[in-house]
Amino acid sequence: MSGPDVNLVLRSTRVVTPEGTRPAAVAVAGGTIDAVLPYDTEAPAGARLEDFGDDVLLPGLVDTHVHVNDPGRTEWEGFWTATRAAAAGGITTLLDMPLNSLPPTTTVGNLHTKQQVAAPKTHVDTGFWGGAIPSNVKDLRPLYEAGVFGFKCFLSPSGVEEFPELDQEQLARSMAEIAGFGGLLIVHAEDPHHLADAPQRPGPAYADFLASRPRDAENTAIEGLIAHAKRLNARVHVLHLSSSDALPLIAAAKREGVRVTVESCPHFLTLTAEEVPDGATEFKCCPPIREAANQDALWAGLADGTIDCIVSDHSPCTTDLKTPDFASAWGGISSLQLGLPAIWTEARRRGHSLDDVARWMSAAPAALAGLTRKGAIEAGRDADFAVLAPDATFTVDPAELFHRNQVTAYAGKTLHGVVRSSWLRGVRIASDGVLAEPTGRLLERDH
C-alpha cells in the first residue's frame, strides 16, 4: 500500500479512471487520493476498507452550471437545499451562476455577500461565476482577483432586470477586458433580433413556445460569438447548447484554433419536444427542448468531441411560477439530483460507457473551470467519488428530491443508475438518500 498516512481504502471491481474502468483499490490520505492500486492490495493496518462490490466507483461529478438563487430568492432554492440535492445525485462540486440571487455576483462586495450566505450551508464544494453586465466592465478584473471562475453574460434578456444582457459592442468590450487578464467568458447565446422576429403566441401549446425560440437565434449568436473570440483571441464557452445546427460552426472554429468550448444539458439530451404535453411548463427552458432528430445530432456532437461537457443548468423556481402558459411561466428545468441517472439511461441505450459519462460530467467540467484537484480518480486529486449501481432502476418521485420546490420534468420517468453514496475529500456525505452534516468548502479559482 502507498504512503504511510493512508486512512481509507475504497475498493470496487469497476473503478472509472482516466485510463479506463478496471478493478482497483483507491487509497486515500488526508482527503486526497494517494494511489490507485491493484484490486487485491491489502489495506494498511488502521485504515478503513470500504468494498463496493460490483457498484461503480466514479469520480465525483462537477456541475459548473447551477442557479442556487441564494440570497434574495431563497424561496426558489438555496445553498442548503441545492447542495443536498447535488450530493444525493453524485455531484461533489458545483459552481453557482451569478444571477437570480439578489444581489447578483457582479461586484466583489456582492460576491462576498454570497460567500457569507453559502459558507455554513454547503454539502458539496462550491465556487462562483461572476457576471458581465453593461455597467460593470470596471468590476471584472477585481472579481477575477477575488476568485470567481469566469464571467457569465446574456446576449438576450435574462428574465431578471438586475442582470441585463450585453449588446454586440458591450460584448466585445467585456470580452476584450476578460481576455486581457486571461479569463473565461461563458455565454447564453440567443440572438435578441431573431427572438423579437419570431412568432409570439401565448398559451399552453408547446409547439407555439418552441416556435418563439428558433434555432436561428442560437446559431446567429454563436456565429457572432466565435467571430469576436477569434478576433480577440479570447476564451469563450457556449452555455446550454440546444440547436444542433450550430455544431458544424463550432467544430470548424475548434479546428481553426478558436478557443471555444461547449456544454449541453440532460434535458436536451434525454427529453424531446414531441413528448412535452401542452401546459406542462416544468419542461420550459431557454433555449428550449427541441425535436428528437435534433437530440440525435447533439449526441453525435458529444461522441465526436464538438460538445465538451454535460451540466445541469438547474434553474428552479416556486411552483406557482410554473403557470400553464408557456409564454409567462418561469423558464428553467430542475434536475440537479437526476442528471447522472438521466444521462446514463440514455447513454447506455446509445452504446456509450460510464467512462464517457465521467468524462462529460466530471473531467471536462473540472477542466473548463480549472479545478485541477477535481474530475478524476488519480493520485493527487481530491478524494471525491460517486458510487453508482448502474443496472438498478428507480422511478422519479418529485417528493423524494432534495431541491426546494418539488417540480421536475422527470417526474414519473424510470431511470437507470442509483447513486448509492457520495464522498467529498474522503468523507461520505450522502448514503442511500441520507445526508451528512455539511462539510463543503467554498472554492476560489487557482491563482
Side-chain angles (χ1 to χ4, degrees):
M1 184 56 72
S2 195
D5 301 321
V6 169
N7 59 347
L8 174 68
V9 177
L10 307 180
R11 177 185 290 162
S12 165
T13 61
R14 293 184 285 181
V15 177
V16 177
T17 75
E19 295 76 41
T21 297
R22 65 180 195 269
V26 181
V28 176
T32 298
I33 298 171
D34 185 75
V36 182
L37 300 161
Y39 176 80
D40 53 4
T41 305
E42 275 194 47
R48 190 166 103 251
L49 175 66
E50 293 274 350
D51 194 323
F52 301 118
D54 294 332
D55 286 348
V56 179
L57 189 66
L58 290 158
L61 269 56
V62 177
D63 191 342
T64 53
H65 196 148
V66 182
H67 294 269
V68 179
N69 308 338
D70 196 2
R73 288 192 175 95
T74 49
E75 69 276 13
W76 293 20
E77 191 59 282
F79 286 104
W80 179 266
T81 48
T83 59
R84 283 167 68 82
I91 296 163
T92 51
T93 303
L94 66 80
L95 296 191
D96 172 56
M97 281 291 164
L99 74 157
N100 299 346
S101 57
L102 294 167
T105 318
T106 49
T107 68
V108 171
N110 292 357
L111 170 65
H112 290 159
T113 297
K114 187 170 279 201
Q115 288 170 327
Q116 287 161 10
V117 169
K121 300 179 183 176
T122 54
H123 289 78
V124 302
D125 284 359
T126 301
F128 302 91
W129 295 108
I133 59 175
S135 61
N136 82 330
V137 173
K138 68 184 184 307
D139 296 294
L140 299 177
R141 185 183 290 267
L143 272 165
Y144 197 63
E145 291 170 350
V148 300
F149 284 83
F151 302 90
K152 179 179 188 177
C153 72
F154 280 75
L155 304 184
S156 55
S158 72
V160 291
E161 62 183 24
E162 67 277 0
F163 203 96
E165 72 274 21
L166 303 180
D167 65 24
Q168 287 298 305
E169 185 181 324
Q170 292 160 344
L171 172 66
R173 194 179 311 135
S174 293
M175 192 186 294
E177 174 71 8
I178 293 163
F181 53 74
L184 170 65
L185 182 65
I186 65 175
V187 183
H188 181 125
E190 285 183 289
D191 179 77
H193 308 293
H194 281 284
L195 295 181
D197 291 343
Q200 304 294 326
R201 286 187 292 270
Y206 187 71
D208 289 341
F209 171 65
L210 190 56
S212 76
R213 314 291 295 208
R215 297 187 200 195
D216 279 353
E218 280 189 88
N219 306 337
T220 300
I222 290 167
E223 187 174 24
L225 182 68
I226 287 169
H228 283 302
K230 186 174 181 178
R231 180 172 59 83
L232 295 167
N233 191 27
R235 191 170 159 235
V236 297
H237 177 73
V238 177
L239 297 166
H240 45 51
L241 181 71
S242 156
S243 170
S244 63
D245 294 349
L247 289 168
L249 279 173
I250 294 160
K254 287 186 169 194
R255 284 194 298 272
E256 289 175 28
V258 180
R259 299 161 71 199
V260 59
T261 50
V262 187
E263 70 187 33
S264 195
C265 305
H267 39 279
F268 299 135
L269 295 161
T270 69
L271 306 173
T272 60
E274 290 89 341
E275 72 187 90
V276 179
D278 286 351
T281 55
E282 63 269 27
F283 289 87
K284 178 183 176 179
C285 56
C286 300
I289 294 165
R290 303 192 189 277
E291 302 82 358
N294 180 80
Q295 183 182 96
D296 290 342
L298 290 177
W299 277 97
L302 272 169
D304 69 19
T306 306
I307 297 172
D308 299 272
C309 55
I310 303 172
V311 292
S312 71
D313 189 11
H314 176 73
S315 185
C317 65
T318 52
T319 307
D320 60 296
L321 294 178
K322 286 291 192 182
T323 66
D325 179 352
F326 272 99
S328 61
W330 178 258
I333 306 276
S334 294
S335 63
L336 197 52
Q337 191 171 333
L338 299 171
L340 175 55
I343 286 295
W344 172 233
T345 300
E346 189 66 15
R348 73 201 298 272
R349 190 178 77 79
R350 292 174 180 267
H352 293 288
S353 68
L354 280 168
D355 297 76
D356 296 325
V357 173
R359 185 173 71 254
W360 295 327
M361 302 187 80
S362 186
L368 172 74
L371 288 160
T372 55
R373 293 187 61 85
K374 308 294 186 182
I377 298 178
E378 63 182 3
R381 305 263 187 161
D382 286 348
D384 298 351
F385 310 104
V387 178
L388 185 74
D391 301 318
T393 61
F394 68 103
T395 300
V396 177
D397 177 356
E400 293 180 357
L401 300 176
F402 286 102
H403 63 259
R404 189 179 300 274
N405 294 282
Q406 271 71 47
V407 177
T408 179
Y410 296 94
K413 288 195 170 292
T414 298
L415 301 178
H416 276 86
V418 172
V419 178
R420 298 292 191 204
S421 61
S422 301
W423 298 68
L424 181 64
R425 281 175 272 102
V427 175
R428 189 174 358 224
I429 58 170
S431 180
D432 294 320
V434 177
L435 279 296
E437 287 302 301
T439 56
R441 295 177 183 170
L442 299 190
L443 303 176
E444 293 181 3
R445 179 185 50 80
D446 291 339
H447 288 75

